[in-house]
Structures are given as C-alpha cells and as structure tokens.
Amino acid sequence: MALDDQTDLSRRDILKLSAATFTAVSTAAVSTAAVAACPVGGLPATAAGMTTAAGYILARLSERGVRHLFTVPAATCDGLLKAAEGGAIATIVTSSDIEAGYAADGYARIHGLAAVTVSYGPGTLSLINAIAGAYVERSPVVVINGGPSAANLSAQRELGVLFSHSSGSADLDLELFRPITAFAGRAATAREVPGVVDQAILVAITAQRPVYLELSKDLWEARVPRPAAPLAIMAPDAGEVRRARDLARGIKQRLGAAARPVLLLGVEVQRHGLGDAVAEFVAQTGLPYATTLLGKSVIPETTPGFIGVFDGERSPGGIRDVMLNADAVLALGCVFNSDYLRFVRGSYERLVLAVDGQVRAGRTAPVAAGLAPILTQLKGLAWQANPAWRRASRPVARAPRPASRHADGPGLTHDQVFAELRTLLAGPEAFVLVADTALSTHPAADLAVQGSNSFVCSAAWKSIGHSVGAALGVAFASDRRPLAVCGDGGFQTIAQALSTMARFQQRAIVVVIDNGVYGIELAIVAPPFFSEGCEAAPYLKLNRWNYVELAKAMGVSFAREVSTPAALRAALADATRATGPAFIAAKVPPRDLPAELRVG
C-alpha cells in the first residue's frame, strides 16, 4: 500500500506503514564486510566485522545516544546485561520492574530514546502499565526481552513441559505487547537479529512510541555482523511534501479568515524535536498559543503570545474562554483525552489537528502528512503578524486563589505547598518538574517552569505513582534536577524507587502530599467528602506510613516532614543543597482541595 494512494488512515495504519517501510532501510544498513573493531559493552567482536547479538543491540542504542539501560536482573536477559558491563551503556538496577518501566519512560521523554530489560513473563508483564502509558503519551522506550529458545518451545509443544515463566503460550509476551507498542517483533535466529533490531529502533525513533524486541534467549552471544552504517531516517517523499504544501495553504487560509485564531501545542512538538521551529512559527505569525497539560513547556513559556496551559475543564476561566470561543484552532501534536471532550466536541468544525502522521481539518477525512513537513511548509509561507489576534485572545493570569478552608486541624494546604514550589521554581536553579496523577495535577499546570522540556506528567494515561519512577529516569537523562510532586497514594505504589535514587546518589527532590486518603479518587467518586464532611469509604483511606523513617531506611539521608509554609520553605532550600536524593513529606489535611478543584 503506497502512502501516496492513501489519505484516510487510522493511527495504527500509520504506524504499520512505518514499520513496513523501515524493514528495507534496516536491511540496507547491515553489511558483513569487515569494519574497524570498536568494543561494544564488555564483549569484543568474535571475528573481523562481527559482534554478538547483545553487542549489536547495544551498538545501535549507543549510536542514538542511549547511555543507560534500566533493568531488574533475570536469567532471560543476563546475556544482555553481561554484554553491557564495562561499556558505554550503564546498567541501572531498579527495585521493581514497574519502576524500571517508569524510569525508562522518564528517560525517553527527556532524551528521545530509552531501553529497559527485565525477566520474561513476570518482569515484562509488570512493565505493561508503564509501556501502555508510554504508548499513549508518545514516549519511545525499547523493551528488550529474552524469549523462549527453540528447545523450550519444542519441549512445551511435544512433551507438555512448560518453560520457565511460561503461561502455556508460545508467544504470550509478544502478543500482549503488540497493542501497546508501535512495533513488536521476535528474532528466533541469529540471521534475523540485525533486521529486527534495526526495524524496532527506527520505528521507535520515527513514531516516538515504545517498541518491543524479543530475542530467543540463547542468541545473546550468537555471532552477527556489526552495523556497517548508522541507521538512516527516511526523509518525506515527494507525495508527502506535496500534501503538506496543500494542507499548509489551507491552514493559512483558515487562520487568515479568523478573528480569534489560536494555536494549541501538544507533546509531539517536543517528541519530534520541533520546539525551535514551532517557536519561530509563533513569532512569525503572531498567533496566541496555549499548550496542553501533556505538552506543557514544549517551547519556553516565556515565548511571547503564551496564554497558559489549557488543561480542559480545570483551566483558568480566561484561558478556557479563549479556547472555547476561538473561531479557528490549529492543534500541533496534541493528544486529547477525556479532559478535552467538551473542547473538541465544541470546536470540531473549527479545529485543524496534526498528530500521528496525519492532518484532519474539521470533518474532512484525515490526510497522511507528518508534523515536521507540515511545519516546514507553514513556515515557508508569507505571514504578516496580526496584533489584533493577540489582543482578541485577552491572555489572563489565574485569578487569585480563594482562601482555603479545611476542617481537620493543622497542616499545610495544597495552595500553600504550591506557593512554595512556585518560589523554588522561580529561583536560580532550573528543574524538571515531574507531576503525578493526584489532586496536585492541575496546580502543577499553573507553575511556571524554566526553559523547554521542563515538565513531565502522566496527563493522558493517568497512572498514579508514575512521577517518582519517571523522576529517576529524568535524573539520568538530564543535567537538570527532577522535582517530583506525588500524592501519598501514588507514592505507596512506587516508594522503593527512593532506594534506587539513593543507590546512584541521584539529586532528585521528591515531595509527597501526605493527606492519608486517595484524594484524586475521592474528588471523582465522592466530592461531598471535601465540601460536606462526609466520611470516606474505608477503601479510599490509606494505611499510615512513617515516610521519613521509610526514606531513611532506603538510604536517603535528607528526609523531612513539614506542616507549615515556613518549614516547607526551609526544607526545599536545604534539599537543593543535598548531595543525594531529598525527600519531603508535606502534611496536608484530608479534606483540603487545591484552588483548581474548588472553583470552576
């Protein structure tokens, strides 16, 4: 199926097309000709121009700048871990499989590609939540798995003897990862390794989605040709360029005819490295712009024309009004979840959406065209900035927060916590803010962050606990310190990540909102708990932990509990001077809500 012949494509079709196209590229990139020997991991080439299957994978990852491999050791992936020992890619052993997945996800969001390997079966199935979130939120994680050998499969098929970690299926892991990855493939022979590896990594890079790569576990030391040339990313063909040119002209016509146009920027802008080009486009056109919550800081928030983060119904009234009343919206790289239902439904006719390699204008059929070609063509048009556009958008700051009232005694309020975090983020040190799915999600949208790519959250998948695991990956991927803000319910699912932070002395700061309840669930299923003093159901209450002593037991030297703004302010200042991870438990009464959830 040629791309030129297809204009109405589903997202899955786009990804399948990509995978099919890249097969030819990966084959061309591998040669059996002798090349200069260059050590890969701790294993030298076994012959001139040859390496091992494990070495091949590490070489391709290293070529793309990957310097860390997240793992929980297991016999099925031991060959890969041995190959990495002493090489350019460091092995980062985490305290759980889900933590390894979250960490790889956070690493990929900052760096652009990440890798994780754990046990076949129990380990990889524990990764599924993290990889599903990476798929939804466009995070290119390479899952590397050591699968059953031919002998394992033969014994299971002919004798009924299960191989280790087998469910009875010959390819359970492979089939379970297919729906949540852009590519899922298995190499059963050494001959197949280079093509499958290259195909997986190319799809991850191009689609900016996770991929699943399985090798028969007896192949790690099998001889394969070394990569003879770097992986080649295919440029848009003439048909895609032509479609992008036509689409750009139509978009300009729509925007030019509008009195209140607005630009909405999403996460794919960052994932595809288009931040600088989009910032230039904003300056060129004079369009006011917002970002989605998942796309917060895809370009610096100091860029002129920024009206704020549009996070759906919980957005400040001024930003929400601008978005809902716009007569033309150009959405670049936006992933819309249920928070945006009202907006998308009300703006459908006025919305041009470029995402997942296709563009849809109003109710017209999607047209296959990538975000980069579209942006190139848009920038190539003659634009005359219209000052009236920004005046019509009436950008506004959030209204002053109403006074918080809670009935459960002393403690910080959410608003006080976020006031102190706002001061910290405005200081001289640049952080990457990693926000969890909690009552604090929407207040995090209001915090100004410095520079671009300075915010990480699970805004679409909404997995609680993601922030602390992701912060570990961010710490390895960035020279900026991660600041993770997590609810206590989410933290209890991933607390052991503190041990990994301490093991590697990563200078992350973790702030846990300690209110003793599943606050975000109460806000959804039992809102009278906050306004009328109703009792929470027992299953919505948390077991009380001594968080400070827990953090210390995991090797975190700086651990503090605070219950006043002054104490939090002092703790944050001291945390910035910590030589390793810093942990702060902020005591907040159970019935307190942040302003974003108290007002419409």
Side-chain angles (χ1 to χ4, degrees):
M1 179 172 58
L3 200 60
D4 289 355
D5 300 330
Q6 197 72 11
T7 57
D8 188 2
L9 296 174
S10 68
R11 294 179 179 181
R12 176 61 65 175
D13 289 335
I14 292 290
L15 297 176
K16 285 181 178 177
L17 269 175
S18 298
T21 302
F22 297 148
T23 302
V25 179
S26 64
T27 302
V30 178
S31 169
T32 57
V35 294
C38 55
V40 177
L43 294 178
T46 55
M50 304 293 285
T51 185
T52 63
Y56 190 95
I57 295 171
L58 294 169
R60 283 306 195 198
L61 292 172
S62 183
E63 174 188 305
R64 301 302 304 185
V66 175
R67 295 293 176 261
H68 302 90
L69 173 63
F70 298 94
T71 186
V72 174
T76 54
C77 61
D78 188 65
L80 181 63
L81 301 182
K82 284 180 178 176
E85 191 173 1
I89 297 180
T91 298
I92 307 301
V93 178
T94 62
S95 298
S96 73
D97 302 299
I98 187 66
E99 179 196 337
Y102 284 155
D105 181 22
Y107 188 98
R109 293 178 191 226
I110 298 297
H111 174 70
L113 190 69
V116 60
T117 186
V118 293
S119 166
Y120 184 90
T124 45
L125 269 59
S126 294
L127 285 182
I128 283 181
N129 172 42
I131 300 306
Y135 181 80
V136 171
E137 297 177 351
R138 300 357 185 223
S139 181
V141 177
V142 182
V143 179
I144 307 167
N145 199 9
S149 66
N152 292 150
L153 295 174
S154 175
Q156 180 169 283
R157 181 176 60 253
E158 297 171 10
L159 304 175
V161 178
L162 299 179
F163 58 86
S164 183
H165 305 319
S166 174
S167 67
S169 168
D171 51 8
L172 179 67
D173 288 25
L174 179 66
E175 292 305 319
L176 288 176
F177 276 88
R178 285 193 194 281
I180 56 169
T181 56
F183 170 85
R186 171 179 166 87
T189 66
R191 182 185 182 90
E192 296 170 334
V193 168
V196 175
V197 171
D198 288 4
Q199 189 173 352
I201 294 177
L202 277 165
V203 172
I205 294 166
T206 305
Q208 286 292 293
R209 300 254 196 164
V211 295
Y212 175 83
L213 170 62
E214 183 177 311
L215 271 67
S216 177
K217 65 184 180 182
D218 57 358
L219 288 181
W220 294 120
E221 296 186 22
R223 296 172 58 194
V224 301
R226 285 184 179 276
L231 292 175
I233 307 299
M234 297 183 68
D237 63 20
E240 185 174 13
V241 171
R242 183 177 63 253
R243 289 191 300 275
R245 184 184 304 117
D246 293 342
L247 287 164
R249 290 169 179 165
I251 290 169
K252 183 184 179 186
Q253 185 175 4
R254 276 178 175 254
L255 296 176
R260 300 179 306 281
V262 68
L263 183 64
L264 184 61
L265 305 181
V267 70
E268 282 194 352
V269 169
Q270 182 269 329
R271 301 290 195 260
H272 292 286
L274 298 173
D276 289 345
V278 168
E280 293 172 6
F281 178 64
V282 168
Q284 183 182 6
T285 61
L287 285 164
Y289 76 94
T291 70
T292 62
L293 179 57
L294 189 60
K296 179 176 169 67
S297 82
V298 293
I299 65 175
E301 296 180 337
T302 53
T303 304
F306 182 53
I307 62 174
V309 175
F310 178 53
D311 46 338
E313 294 302 297
R314 294 298 179 183
S315 302
I319 297 171
R320 189 169 64 244
D321 290 346
V322 169
M323 297 306 303
L324 294 178
N325 294 324
D327 53 359
V329 180
L330 173 58
L332 298 178
C334 296
V335 178
F336 292 130
N337 66 337
S338 59
D339 293 339
Y340 297 91
L341 178 60
R342 178 187 172 196
F343 164 71
V344 173
R345 179 176 286 157
S347 306
Y348 206 79
E349 300 286 357
R350 305 186 298 275
L351 177 65
V352 177
L353 175 61
V355 71
D356 283 341
Q358 55 184 353
V359 180
R360 178 187 53 76
R363 298 189 180 278
T364 61
V367 176
L371 190 58
I374 287 291
L375 189 57
T376 298
Q377 295 300 321
L378 284 170
K379 289 178 58 187
L381 298 174
W383 293 87
Q384 184 172 358
N386 186 345
W389 285 349
R390 286 186 182 167
R391 286 198 299 270
S393 72
R394 301 193 315 278
V396 295
R398 289 188 185 267
R401 293 170 177 266
S404 177
R405 294 288 183 267
H406 53 72
D408 290 274
L412 285 156
T413 66
H414 281 88
D415 294 349
Q416 289 169 337
V417 170
F418 277 87
E420 298 303 329
L421 293 176
R422 180 178 294 106
T423 299
L424 176 67
L425 292 170
E429 182 174 0
F431 291 85
V432 176
L433 178 62
V434 190
D436 208 71
T437 300
L439 293 176
S440 52
T441 301
H442 294 288
D446 187 32
L447 295 177
V449 293
Q450 298 182 33
S452 60
N453 198 15
S454 302
F455 182 79
V456 171
C457 70
S458 182
W461 185 242
K462 298 183 183 294
S463 184
I464 66 170
H466 172 267
S467 63
V468 182
L472 174 66
V474 169
F476 282 106
S478 176
D479 56 2
R480 294 173 293 175
R481 192 193 321 235
L483 171 62
V485 183
C486 189
D488 48 358
F491 179 72
Q492 289 194 8
T493 71
I494 197 69
Q496 64 269 38
L498 292 181
S499 175
T500 314
M501 291 179 179
R503 177 179 183 175
F504 293 97
Q505 284 296 286
Q506 289 294 350
R507 297 179 68 234
I509 298 176
V510 177
V511 178
V512 169
I513 309 294
D514 178 12
N515 64 0
V517 294
Y518 286 103
I520 189 65
E521 298 301 328
L522 281 162
I524 295 170
V525 304
F529 170 80
F530 298 98
S531 59
E532 300 173 14
C534 302
E535 188 64 20
Y539 60 83
L540 293 173
K541 296 179 180 179
L542 288 164
N543 188 31
R544 304 305 291 142
W545 288 11
N546 186 328
Y547 292 108
V548 169
E549 292 304 315
L550 175 71
K552 290 180 177 178
M554 291 188 180
V556 177
S557 300
F558 184 99
R560 196 174 296 180
E561 181 182 287
V562 297
S563 57
T564 68
L568 176 58
R569 190 177 313 126
L572 288 170
D574 291 343
T576 63
R577 294 187 286 272
T579 56
F583 177 84
I584 300 171
K587 300 285 288 186
V588 172
R591 299 186 194 279
D592 182 69
L593 280 175
E596 287 78 5
L597 275 72
R598 297 198 305 271
V599 296

